[in-house]
Every structure is written in structure tokens, then in C-alpha cells.
């Protein structure tokens, strides 16, 4: 992948050379707009010119956000903001993303950025559901200086979303938007094409012949059968799979079918249609939008339908102003809930997958796993979610210097989810008959699969959230050169959540999904039936000083109390109950911004340097990361204590310390922005360091206390990094403009201390029995992958024992990390008359992931490495040595002993289905390096001269592609996309679908 890095840098450097020669291009008549004069919306809705912003931020406008018509606004930011890392953690019909800025700051809490919509704290979920075309701009505040006003919720950076508002024109304007995407599966695992269906030591009534030491078995999920090149069987028309419901037996040639697993998926269709109306005047505006999204996913039956109603309006009444935003989102989804992809991965390459599309479990191509078609049709999750978000902002000007503003937000969410599984038991398992094959008289469950128990579960979720800011604002020119602004106020946040769940197993009447039809209800203590409430109250202040429009100072302070940290301290023996205790905490920041080109105008003489800005500051924020009632416990209700079905409250063996404090982040940041040759060349750079004190994690205690661990402040970490962004405009004229932009971002998180002698903190365990997990490591990353590894000699060769089996480390070793070493982004837009071509790409490297898919593939024999040798002669570990000396004086010789000292096909299979998958985690840690072209879009705007005699004001049409090209690291044989692993997971789940790519068409009409 080094060649990829070189290529990207070469493009940037070549473009830099070109721009020098492009400055004197004739016809360069357009003036560059000074974006620093544009007012941006920051924390608490406070607006500033970019010059006065003292922290690092990046503004993405609606055009850039929507150029590839991504229905997920968060994902549309990918590759466009240096330091912003977006991972798609659920590549399903309702894809979900996580958003982190400048790496992790906590090992136990949430590291995701805070989302603020129209001045009020919101959620990433709501942001992802907003139609991107109603978003006016997104201001990504990367520096802590810009987020300190949000207290503990702003400790991970802030994404400030500003929605569109109506125009000032009194004429009603309508806009129609429509797009259609076609999605297809992309990058499924590359599987060996040498050996087919079968297993060793399994002669059957179909065939007792051995082919090089193995058997052909028509109902196996393993690809441990004969070689396709074996003249005794290769290319023959053979039975494949189990009989179909109509008694038909499927035959196919014993040969590899290219991309046969991909045939399970269909082409998905995503349609987005919207209509908006806006109107206004000099003292009012109104904007109304309706948007509908329909996603017919790549898996039959998986669908999403989302309706969004959005209204935003405002009115100036003398000195009083009111603005209101109302948003109603109703979303329905239906998707399979089974581990469908894991079943699909077990498909031998000689199978024609679509031959089994009847969906019958008994007609599957193997008897050792469940039919993905059956799971698709009989295991479903159906969900309806209704979200209402209302924001009211009011302001009153007492005079030109003093004003009072209030922003109130109420969000309600109601969600109903029903999950059902249809049963498949011996009652459903009708014996095969009339096939004229050895299948007659047998049934599906006779071949190894276990029955499926029917079940039904229903969950109801209700949440209510209030957010309110009351601010008194002062704005004075203290002198002709000094401006003073002060905002002081109060913030209240109140959240209530309620969860109700019922369910159980064994449905009395098949197909009736209702709790009354459940024969074995799940005990209430195993279900989620709870209520939570949290409140935060804060006082804050924001000070801005501006001197001569080139020197700016910003300082903030926030004192916050959280109900999560409220406790009833345990009284001493004989002491009366102590009062409720709640300690508040202070968060503050200070920063400056200096514009040398305005302070010293001679710097711009010669038209070389056109702009320069230096800024930096210090910030202290905090994060409690605790849930409601964590500190002041409500009790633990176990099962089977004291015995049998009896139960009682017991001591919590994993309590939260009553002395716990928030994790405090102390951040230093410095930024530099430069513009050259009338901003035809721009540069932005940032360097930062964040030290987290009081890192919250589980801390070990003596077993004599009866407690396993205490959740407490028990460590510290440091995060250092920098970001560079270069912008170029090689050509700019009336009819032609070319813009280029590239960035480099890197950070390194380091756990600097852990209490009680700990050197690692486990965060998550890998799935599928892989001996690995995610750890925070003292002196290393908070996102370290650790697991078992090969023991090697000084030359890096694998050491094996006398039986040819690899010697594995007795302790977990560092195998990789989730954090990339660095990320590169590249974007370009070329405008020729009415045509605009744009593209976005990015490159990540240095990160790894644990692949459950590779582990499963190793068991069923589809890995390429399991077929690049003659299986019948056993498997000798490549690049391995044996010690013929002693442990203290080793003498290593090249190993020639096959694994298990068994030079046979059976020895090969035994190794890969036992030791390989369960002992050696190193084999399943995959390089996450990836180069991705995120977006390519071509847009054509109909000239206004063509529309002059019509009622249409403007019209544009376009074609686009999302994820059209992706290149993984060499050792990632499409096992998975590292971007789909969240930062709190031990491995990339095998249930995660592969990458998809979309190609679409869109039209936009305004009249």
C-alpha cells in the first residue's frame, strides 16, 4: 500500500507545481470570495466571522454535502474533514455510523462527537435521519476550545448543523429533488477455487470413493472435498445439496462457480424524493419541506421507508424576534435478524446459490448450517420509530448593546420493535421421499443441524429530552479599536427514558406474532423494563474581545452539575442518613486569534501572501461517562439466589466508586491558516495535545472485600496529533474552474498510567472463539488489539514443536490497533461552463481489525492459503523451524514435519478445524489499510437562457457514484472493511455485510 500513498502525494505535489504556472492564465477574471468574512455558527449558536474563531474548525456547505446524494448526512462528511473519522458500524438497510474527532479520549465511555442542530444538543441518530438537502451547513468544531461551552457533552468535539431557512423573497419558491440509486454487493471474500464440497473420513451412501484422501459429500458445508482437477470427479454432473420441496434433486458440475456467494444478493434500489417551499420578506421567512426515502435493500424483504416533515420559520416584531423549527420523522424498517451472512460464508464454490432460492430449510445446499433464504424469510426484525424535534429561539433587544435570548428544544422518540423467529422442529422436518436417491427416508435434521425454536419479542422505547439555554448578551465598542462581547447564561438538560419489553419462545400458533401466543414467556428479570432520568444544570459565560479586526481573544467558563453524580453517602454506624450530595465541576477555555495580514498590510504587497491567521488556546473539559443511578445504586436482583427459583437482592460485585469524578481533558492547540496568490493556494494546519486525567475504568480490589472490581478513576492518557490541509485552484475563469484539496491527519493516543499496577485494561472480547480482544495498554494505544501469537526465532520464522504444530505465546501479545497511523483525503471539482465534475477519496493505513469471517472460512476450508499446497500430503507450516537444541541454547533447523505429524488430507483438515482457528489469533488480525474513492459526481445545470421563457427558475441533473472503487491491503482478501468496526468492539462481526457501491441519477428543479 506504500505505492498508494506515493500516488496520492504525487497528485498533490504535481498539482502544486501546476498551480504556479496557472496564475497568469488569461481570462482569469473571477474574484475569490474571502471565506474568512463568512459568519459561521459555533457553540451555543453564537455566530462569529471565521477570523474571530480561535479553534480549528471546518465548514461543509450544502453543495459539498449533497454532491453524491448520500441519504445519510453523517456518512456524507466522510473524507471531507481532516481529523474526522467516520465508521459505518451497520452496513444494513438502515446503515449507522459512528463519528469521532481526533481519536479517543476515554477507554470506557463514548468517544463520539456531540451533534448540535440549530443551536440545541441533538443526537447522531437524528442527524443521520435528516434529509441532507435541508442542511445549510455543517461546522465541524475539531478543537476543544469551541466545545468547552457544552461541558462534559462537548469533550469529544462538536458537529454544529444549521438547517436551511426561507429566502427573503416574497415570492413563493418551490424546489423538487429526486434521485434513484442502484446498489450492488462489492468486495465479498476471495475464496479458494481448487477444492470443492466434501469432508475427510465421510464415505456416504452417495459415494464411498476416496479422492486423494477425502470424500465427496453432496450435503457438506465444508470445502474439504476432492480437487476440481481430479480426473475421477472434476467436471462431472453431481448431486448438490438436499432435495427441494417438490422432490427435485439439483445437479451441477463439480467445478468452481465464480462469485457464487454474491448471487444471493440482489441489486438494491434507493429512492429519495423531496419537495420544499420557501418564502420570506425583510423581517420574516418560512421554509417547509417534505422528504421520503425508500430503500429496497440488497437482501429481499429488507426495506426502509422514512417520511420527514420539516418546518422552519421566523419573524421580527420590533425588538423581539422568534424562530422555530419543527421536525417530524417517521421511519419503518424491516430486516433480517439472523446471522445470515455467516451461513452464506459456508457455501462451497461448486454450488449455484440461486438454485436454492425456494427458501426451504430442508432444501438447503447443506445439512450443517441454516439456509440464508430461510433465515431471510423467517427471522425478521420490524421497527417503527417516530421522532419529533421542536426548537424555539426567542430574542429581545433592549438596545443596540444588550439583548436576551432563549433557545428551547424538546425531542420525543417513540419506537416499537418486534422480532420473530419461526420454528423449525422435528414436526416441520418431513422426510424426503420419491427422489430415487439415498436421501429417501431421511430428513434435514438428520444431517447435523439443530432445531430452531420459535420466538417473539416486542420492545417499546420512549424518550423525552429537554434542552434550554437562557443567555444575556452584551456587545460594546469600548473604544474605536476594541470590541467587547459577553454572553452569560444558564443551561438545563433533562432526559427521561422508558423501556418495556415482553417476549418468549415457542409460539403455539405458527405465524401469529403476539405475546398471547407465547407458551414460554421470558422472565421479567431477563428483559429490559426500566426507567431512567438524568438532569444537568449549568451556568456559563463566553467572552470575546476584538482589537482592530486582527486580534481576537475568546474565553469561556462553565460550571455544571449532573444528577448522575448525585449520591446518598453511606452513614457511619449510629449516624443518621446523610443528605444527598452532588458536586459540580468547572470547565473552561482561553484562546487567541491573530491576523498578521490585517495587522501589517504590507505583508500582502506583491500579491504573494494574501492571508495569514495564527490561533491557539487551552481548554479543560470533562466527561462523566456514567449512566443514571450508577453511583447511587438501586440494587442488584439476581436469579437462583439463595437457591432454585428464589431470588433476593445482593451486593453489587462491580460497583461504581462514590468518589468518582469526571474524566478531565486538558487540551493545548495551535493553528495556522495561510492564503497565497489571492487565495489560489491555501494552507491550514493544526497541532494539538490532549491529556486525560482521571481515566475511568474497572480497578481491581482484594477478593476479601467480596467485590470483583470497582469502576473508578484509575489512569490517564495522552493524545497528540496534527492536521495539514492544502487547497489549490490551478485555473479559474468565467467558463472554467478547477479546485483541488488534499489533507494529512494523524494522531497517537497513549495510555500513560493505570492504577494498582495494571498494565492492560480489557475492553472487548473477539467473537467466534478467537483468542484476542480489544485492550487499553499502558504505554500503548487505548485501542490495542491483543491476542495469541506465533513464537518466532530471531529471523522471524515460526517455531513448531516435534509434531509440526506452531508454538503459541502463553501470554497475549500486541497484534495491532484500531487507530490509523494517518489518513489522507483528496477532493477535486472541475467546472466547465454548466458542467461540474467532483470526486472525493481517502486513504487510511496503520490500523487493523480482527476478522471473524476469516476464522469461519478457515473452518470450512475456503481460505486461499488452505489450497495453495497438496492437501493429501499434509500441511507444513510455511517459513517454520524446529528447535533441535535446548530451551536455553536453541538450534533451529528448517521444519519439514507436517502438522500433527500427519502427512495426509485428514491431518490437514484436523489442523485447520482445531488448532488454527482456536489457538492463533495472529492469523486473524488483518491490515485495515484502504484507499477509497468515496464519491464521483457529474452535474449539469441548465443555462438560465434556456429556462427564461418557462416557469422554472433553475434546473440541474446529475449522475453519481458512491464507493465506486475500493482497494484493500494485500492480506485483506476482502475479509471485511476495517471502517465497519466500531471502536468498542473486539472484532469485526461476521454478521456485518460486505461493502456496497451505489450508482445513481438525480434531478433538482426550482420554480
Amino acid at each position: 500500500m506504500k505505492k498508494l500513498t506515493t500516488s496520492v502525494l504525487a497528485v498533490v505535489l504535481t498539482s502544486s507545481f501546476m498551480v504556479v504556472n496557472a496564475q497568469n492564465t488569461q481570462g482569469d477574471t473571477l474574484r475569490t470570495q474571502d471565506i474568512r468574512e463568512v459568519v459561521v455558527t459555533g457553540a451555543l449558536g453564537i455566530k462569529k466571522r471565521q477570523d474571530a474563531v480561535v479553534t480549528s474548525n471546518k465548514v461543509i456547505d450544502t453543495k459539498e454535502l449533497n454532491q453524491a446524494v448520500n441519504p445519510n448526512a453523517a456518512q456524507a462528511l466522510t473524507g471531507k474533514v481532516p481529523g474526522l473519522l467516520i465508521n459505518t458500524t451497520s452496513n444494513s438497510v438502515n446503515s449507522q455510523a459512528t463519528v469521532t474527532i481526533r481519536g479517543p479520549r476515554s477507554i470506557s465511555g463514548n468517544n463520539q462527537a456531540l451533534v448540535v442542530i440549530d443551536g440545541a444538543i441533538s443526537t447522531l441518530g437524528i442527524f443521520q435521519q435528516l434529509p441532507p438537502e435541508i442542511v445549510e451547513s455543517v461546522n465541524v468544531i475539531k478543537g476543544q476550545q469551541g466545545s468547552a461551552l457544552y461541558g462534559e457533552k462537548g469533550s469529544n468535539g462538536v458537529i454544529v448543523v444549521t438547517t436551511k431557512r426561507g429566502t427573503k423573497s416574497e415570492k413563493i419558491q418551490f424546489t423538487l429533488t429526486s434521485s434513484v440509486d442502484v446498489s450492488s454487493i462489492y468486495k465479498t471474500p476471495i475464496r479458494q477455487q481448487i477444492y470443492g464440497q466434501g469432508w475427510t473420513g465421510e464415505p456416504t451412501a452417495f459415494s464411498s470413493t476416496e479422492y486423494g484422501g477425502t470424500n465427496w459429500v453432496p450435503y457438506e458445508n465444508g470445502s474439504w472435498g476432492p480437487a476440481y482437477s481430479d480426473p475421477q470427479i472434476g467436471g462431472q454432473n453431481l448431486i448438490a445439496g438436499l432435495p427441494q420441496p417438490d422432490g427435485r434433486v439439483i445437479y451441477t458440475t463439480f467445478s468452481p462457480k465464480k462469485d457464487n456467494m454474491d448471487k444471493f444478493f440482489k441489486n438494491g434500489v434507493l429512492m429519495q424524493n423531496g419537495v420544499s417551499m420557501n418564502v420570506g420578506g425583510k423581517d420574516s421567512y418560512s421554509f417547509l419541506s417534505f422528504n421520503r426515502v425508500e430503500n429496497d435493500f440488497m437482501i429481499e424483504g429488507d426495506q426502509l421507508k422514512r417520511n420527514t416533515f420539516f418546518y422552519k420559520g421566523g419573524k421580527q416584531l420590533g425588538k423581539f424576534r422568534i424562530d422555530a423549527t419543527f421536525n417530524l420523522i417517521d421511519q419503518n424498517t424491516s430486516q433480517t435478524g439472523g446471522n445470515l451472512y455467516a451461513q452464506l460464508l459456508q457455501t462451497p464454490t461448486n454450488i449455484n446459490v440461486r438454485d436454492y432460492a425456494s427458501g426451504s430449510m430442508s432444501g438447503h445446499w447443506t445439512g450443517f448450517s441454516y439456509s440464508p433464504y430461510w433465515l431471510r424469510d423467517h427471522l425478521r426484525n420490524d421497527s417503527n420509530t417516530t421522532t419529533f424535534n421542536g426548537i424555539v429561539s426567542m430574542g429581545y433587544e433592549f438596545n443596540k448593546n444588550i439583548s436576551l435570548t432563549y433557545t428551547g428544544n424538546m425531542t420525543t422518540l417513540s419506537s416499537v420493535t418486534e422480532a420473530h423467529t419461526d420454528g423449525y422442529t422435528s414436526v416441520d422436518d418431513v422426510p424426503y421421499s420419491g427422489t430415487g436417491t439415498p436421501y429417501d427416508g431421511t430428513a434435514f435434521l438428520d444431517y447435523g443441524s439443530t432445531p430452531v425454536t420459535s420466538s417473539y419479542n416486542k420492545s417499546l422505547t420512549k424518550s423525552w429530552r429537554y434542552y434550554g439555554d437562557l443567555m444575556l448578551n452584551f456587545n460594546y465598542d469600548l473604544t474605536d479599536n476594541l470590541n467587547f462581547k459577553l454572553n452569560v447564561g444558564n443551561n438545563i438538560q433533562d432526559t427521561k427514558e422508558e423501556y418495556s419489553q415482553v417476549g418468549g419462545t415457542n409460539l403455539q400458533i405458527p405465524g401469529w406474532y403476539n405475546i398471547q401466543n407465547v407458551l414460554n414467556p421470558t422472565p421479567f428479570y431477563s428483559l429490559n423494563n426500566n426507567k431512567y432520568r438524568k438532569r444537568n444544570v449549568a451556568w456559563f459565560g463566553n467572552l470575546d474581545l476584538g482589537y482592530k479586526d486582527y486580534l481576537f481573544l475568546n474565553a469561556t467558563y462553565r460550571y455544571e452539575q449532573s444528577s448522575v453524580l448525585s449520591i446518598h453517602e453511606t452513614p457511619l454506624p449510629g449516624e443518621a442518613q446523610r443528605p444527598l450530595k452532588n458536586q459540580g465541576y468547572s470547565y473552561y477555555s482561553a484562546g487567541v486569534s491573530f491576523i498578521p495580514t490585517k495587522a501589517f498590510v504590507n505583508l500582502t504587497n506583491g500579491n504573494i501572501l494574501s492571508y495569514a491567521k495564527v490561533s491557539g488556546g487551552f481548554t479543560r473539559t470533562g466527561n462523566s461517562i456514567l449512566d443514571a443511578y450508577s453511583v447511587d445504586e438501586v440494587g442488584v436482583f439476581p436469579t437462583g439466589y439463595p437457591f432454585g427459583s428464589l431470588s433476593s437482592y445482593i451486593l453489587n460485585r462491580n460497583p461504581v466508586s462514590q468518589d468518582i469524578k469526571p474524566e478531565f481533558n486538558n487540551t493545548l492547540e495551535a493553528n495556522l491558516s495561510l492564503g497565497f496568490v489571492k487565495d489560489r493556494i491555501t494552507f491550514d494546519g493544526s497541532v494539538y495535545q490532549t491529556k486525560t486525567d482521571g481515566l475511568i475504568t474497572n480497578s481491581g480490589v482484594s477478593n476479601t472485600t467480596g467485590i470483583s472490581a470497582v469502576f473508578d478513576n484509575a489512569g490517564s492518557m495522552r493524545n497528540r496529533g496534527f492536521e495539514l490541509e492544502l487547497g489549490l485552484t490551478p485555473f479559474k475563469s468565467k467558463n472554467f474552474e478547477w479546485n483541488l484539496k488534499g489533507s494529512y491527519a494523524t494522531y497517537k493516543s497513549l495510555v500513560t498510567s493505570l492504577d494498582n499496577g495494571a498494565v492492560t485494561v480489557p475492553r472487548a472480547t473477539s467473537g467466534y472463539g478467537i483468542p484476542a480482544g480489544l485492550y487499553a495498554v499502558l504505554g500503548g494505544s487505548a485501542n490495542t488489539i491483543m491476542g495469541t501469537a506465533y513464537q518466532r526465532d530471531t529471523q522471524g520464522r515460526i517455531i513448531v514443536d516435534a509434531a509440526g504444530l506452531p508454538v503459541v505465546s502463553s501470554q497475549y501479545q500486541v497484534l495491532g490497533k484500531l487507530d490509523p497511523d494517518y489518513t489522507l483525503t483528496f477532493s477535486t471539482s472541475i467546472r466547465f461552463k454548466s458542467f461540474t465534475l467532483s470526486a472525493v477519496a481517502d486513504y487510511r493505513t496503520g490500523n487493523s481489525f480482527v476478522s471473524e469471517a476469516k476464522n469461519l472460512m478457515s473452518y470450512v476450508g475456503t481460505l486461499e492459503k488452505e489450497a495453495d499446497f497438496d492437501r493429501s500430503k499434509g500441511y507444513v507450516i510455511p517459513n517454520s523451524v524446529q528447535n533441535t537444541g535446548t530451551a536455553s541454547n536453541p538450534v533451529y533447523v528448517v521444519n519439514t514435519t507436517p502438522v500433527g505429524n500427519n502427512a495426509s488430507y485428514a491431518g490437514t483438515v484436523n489442523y485447520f478445524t482445531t488448532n488454527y482457528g482456536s489457538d492463533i489469533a495472529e492469523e486473524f488480525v488483518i491490515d485495515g489499510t484502504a484507499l477509497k474513492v468515496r464519491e464521483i459526481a457529474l452535474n449539469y445545470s441548465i443555462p438560465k437562457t434556456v429556462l427564461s421563457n418557462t416557469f422554472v427558475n433553475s434546473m440541474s441533473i446529475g449522475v453519481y457514484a458512491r464507493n465506486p472503487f475500493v482497494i484493500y491491503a494485500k492480506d485483506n482478501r476482502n475479509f471485511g472493511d476495517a471502517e465497519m468496526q466500531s471502536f468498542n468492539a473486539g472484532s469485526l462481526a461476521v454478521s456485518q455485510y460486505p461493502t456496497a457501491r451505489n450508482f445513481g441519477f438525480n434531478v433538482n428543479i426550482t420554480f
Side-chain angles (χ1 to χ4, degrees), residues 870-918:
D870 187 345
R871 290 177 173 179
S872 66
K873 296 179 180 180
Y875 178 65
V876 178
I877 303 293
N879 192 34
S880 62
V881 294
Q882 287 181 320
N883 182 11
T884 59
T886 64
S888 57
N889 294 294
V891 177
Y892 296 112
V893 297
V894 175
N895 171 52
T896 59
T897 305
V899 289
N901 201 16
N902 187 344
S904 69
Y905 203 128
T908 299
V909 175
N910 182 66
Y911 171 72
F912 279 107
T913 57
T914 54
N915 305 78
Y916 183 79
S918 61

Side-chain angles (χ1 to χ4, degrees), residues 555-840:
T556 70
Y557 178 82
R558 181 183 177 104
Y559 180 81
E560 186 167 10
Q561 289 179 288
S562 171
S563 66
V564 169
L565 296 173
S566 299
I567 60 171
H568 288 91
E569 292 183 307
T570 304
L572 297 172
E575 184 182 9
Q577 182 174 354
R578 295 183 178 182
L580 183 71
K581 176 184 176 182
N582 185 288
Q583 183 176 351
Y585 296 93
S586 299
Y587 311 116
Y588 44 85
S589 69
V592 295
S593 171
F594 175 56
I595 318 297
T597 46
K598 289 187 176 181
F600 310 104
V601 293
N602 291 335
L603 291 175
T604 60
N605 291 344
N607 292 325
I608 301 299
L609 179 66
S610 53
Y611 181 82
K613 173 184 173 181
V614 181
S615 64
F618 170 80
T619 308
R620 180 177 174 85
T621 59
N623 189 4
S624 69
I625 80 168
L626 299 175
D627 294 326
Y629 320 124
S630 296
V631 179
D632 199 21
E633 295 186 20
V634 295
V636 177
F637 192 67
T639 60
Y641 177 84
F643 56 85
S645 61
L646 300 178
S647 60
S648 174
Y649 287 104
I650 64 170
L651 175 71
N652 185 358
R653 293 176 57 83
N654 297 280
V656 176
S657 170
Q658 292 195 340
D659 296 324
I660 198 168
K661 296 177 177 61
E663 299 174 336
F664 286 103
N665 301 316
N666 300 299
T667 302
L668 287 169
E669 177 188 32
N671 311 292
L672 174 66
S673 295
L674 299 172
F676 299 95
V677 197
K678 298 181 180 179
D679 284 350
R680 297 285 291 275
I681 304 176
T682 61
F683 171 83
D684 290 282
S686 297
V687 59
Y688 59 89
Q689 173 179 278
T690 298
K691 290 184 176 180
T692 302
D693 298 322
L695 206 62
I696 297 176
T697 185
N698 282 311
S699 180
V701 295
S702 171
N703 291 333
T704 59
T705 62
I707 295 174
S708 300
V710 176
F711 203 55
D712 200 0
N713 303 104
S716 59
M717 67 184 296
R718 184 187 68 215
N719 195 351
R720 288 176 177 169
F722 64 90
E723 298 147 3
L724 307 173
E725 185 175 48
L726 179 66
L728 305 169
T729 305
F731 302 98
K732 190 169 187 178
S733 65
K734 181 178 179 180
N735 292 323
F736 182 73
E737 181 178 350
W738 181 21
N739 294 299
L740 288 163
K741 192 171 292 183
S743 76
Y744 174 92
T746 182
Y747 68 84
K748 184 176 182 180
S749 70
L750 191 73
V751 179
T752 53
S753 70
L754 292 172
D755 290 358
N756 301 322
V759 293
T760 62
V761 174
R763 299 185 58 193
T765 302
S766 297
Y768 266 68
I770 302 172
L774 185 64
Y775 289 77
V777 177
L778 182 64
S781 170
N783 291 319
T784 298
I785 299 171
M786 297 187 69
T788 54
Y790 293 113
Q791 290 191 18
R792 301 175 184 268
D793 67 0
T794 55
Q795 298 180 44
R797 297 175 296 182
I798 298 171
I799 301 171
V800 300
D801 60 20
L805 295 171
V807 180
V808 182
S809 59
S810 57
Q811 301 292 326
Y812 274 18
Q813 307 293 319
V814 173
L815 302 176
K817 56 184 176 60
L818 301 188
D819 308 291
D821 287 342
Y822 62 87
T823 60
L824 296 173
T825 68
F826 175 80
S827 63
T828 184
S829 68
I830 301 173
R831 179 185 58 81
F832 176 69
K833 293 186 177 180
S834 297
F835 289 92
T836 302
L837 175 67
S838 58
V840 177

Side-chain angles (χ1 to χ4, degrees), residues 1-14 822 824 843 845 931:
M1 299 302 287
K2 290 182 179 179
K3 292 183 179 180
L4 296 176
T5 309
T6 305
S7 299
V8 173
L9 292 176
V11 171
V12 174
L13 293 176
T14 303
Y822 62 87
L824 296 173
Y843 174 73
T845 190
L931 172 65

Side-chain angles (χ1 to χ4, degrees), residues 417-647:
T417 300
E418 294 183 280
H420 72 262
T421 302
D422 295 327
Y424 189 88
T425 65
S426 57
V427 176
D428 309 290
D429 203 32
V430 179
Y432 304 116
S433 63
T435 67
T437 70
Y439 283 126
D440 289 342
T442 66
F444 173 73
L445 294 178
D446 295 335
Y447 292 92
S449 289
T450 57
V452 178
T453 303
S454 60
S455 64
Y456 170 77
N457 288 277
K458 183 176 183 178
S459 301
L460 282 77
T461 301
K462 290 185 177 181
S463 67
W464 175 89
R465 186 178 68 250
Y466 166 78
Y467 174 91
D469 281 325
L470 180 65
M471 284 196 297
L472 185 60
N473 312 291
F474 302 90
N475 186 349
Y476 284 93
D477 288 324
L478 300 181
T479 69
D480 291 341
N481 297 324
L482 183 63
N483 176 258
F484 165 88
K485 294 179 182 177
L486 177 65
N487 314 93
V488 293
N490 168 259
N491 171 247
I492 297 176
Q493 299 175 53
D494 195 348
T495 301
K496 292 188 290 186
E497 300 175 5
E498 183 175 349
Y499 304 92
S500 299
Q501 189 175 16
V502 294
T505 58
N506 291 314
L507 303 183
Q508 184 172 11
I509 302 174
W512 182 27
Y513 309 119
N514 190 288
I515 188 60
Q516 300 179 65
N517 192 38
V518 172
L519 294 178
N520 301 110
T522 303
F524 74 91
Y525 47 75
S526 298
L527 297 170
N528 187 8
N529 290 282
N530 292 297
K531 291 182 178 180
Y532 302 95
R533 187 169 188 180
K534 296 188 292 186
R535 297 193 74 195
N536 289 63
V537 178
W539 295 91
F540 60 85
N542 176 75
L543 172 66
D544 285 292
L545 294 174
Y547 178 74
K548 283 190 175 181
D549 203 31
Y550 63 74
L551 181 62
F552 303 91
L553 168 71
N554 174 258
T556 70
Y557 178 82
R558 181 183 177 104
Y559 180 81
E560 186 167 10
Q561 289 179 288
S562 171
S563 66
V564 169
L565 296 173
S566 299
I567 60 171
H568 288 91
E569 292 183 307
T570 304
L572 297 172
E575 184 182 9
Q577 182 174 354
R578 295 183 178 182
L580 183 71
K581 176 184 176 182
N582 185 288
Q583 183 176 351
Y585 296 93
S586 299
Y587 311 116
Y588 44 85
S589 69
V592 295
S593 171
F594 175 56
I595 318 297
T597 46
K598 289 187 176 181
F600 310 104
V601 293
N602 291 335
L603 291 175
T604 60
N605 291 344
N607 292 325
I608 301 299
L609 179 66
S610 53
Y611 181 82
K613 173 184 173 181
V614 181
S615 64
F618 170 80
T619 308
R620 180 177 174 85
T621 59
N623 189 4
S624 69
I625 80 168
L626 299 175
D627 294 326
Y629 320 124
S630 296
V631 179
D632 199 21
E633 295 186 20
V634 295
V636 177
F637 192 67
T639 60
Y641 177 84
F643 56 85
S645 61
L646 300 178
S647 60

Side-chain angles (χ1 to χ4, degrees), residues 157-222:
V158 181
I159 296 177
V160 178
V161 180
T162 302
T163 59
K164 289 183 178 178
R165 55 189 292 169
T167 65
K168 293 183 178 181
S169 172
E170 296 182 358
K171 181 181 178 181
I172 298 178
Q173 180 175 284
F174 293 91
T175 300
L176 299 178
T177 59
S178 183
S179 67
V180 179
D181 287 5
V182 176
S183 58
S184 59
I185 204 70
Y186 189 41
K187 294 291 184 180
T188 54
I190 300 172
R191 297 175 297 151
Q192 60 89 3
Q193 306 288 308
I194 308 299
Y195 294 91
Q197 193 173 21
W199 206 279
T200 59
E202 284 192 10
T204 68
F206 293 91
S207 173
S208 59
T209 304
E210 280 201 352
Y211 304 91
T214 188
N215 299 111
W216 163 69
V217 184
Y219 49 82
E220 259 296 348
N221 65 332

Side-chain angles (χ1 to χ4, degrees), residues 22-39:
Q23 302 312 311
N24 298 320
T25 302
Q26 293 183 357
D28 186 2
T29 58
L30 294 185
R31 296 185 61 188
T32 303
Q33 181 187 13
D34 190 350
I35 61 172
R36 293 103 186 178
E37 300 300 325
V38 175
V39 175

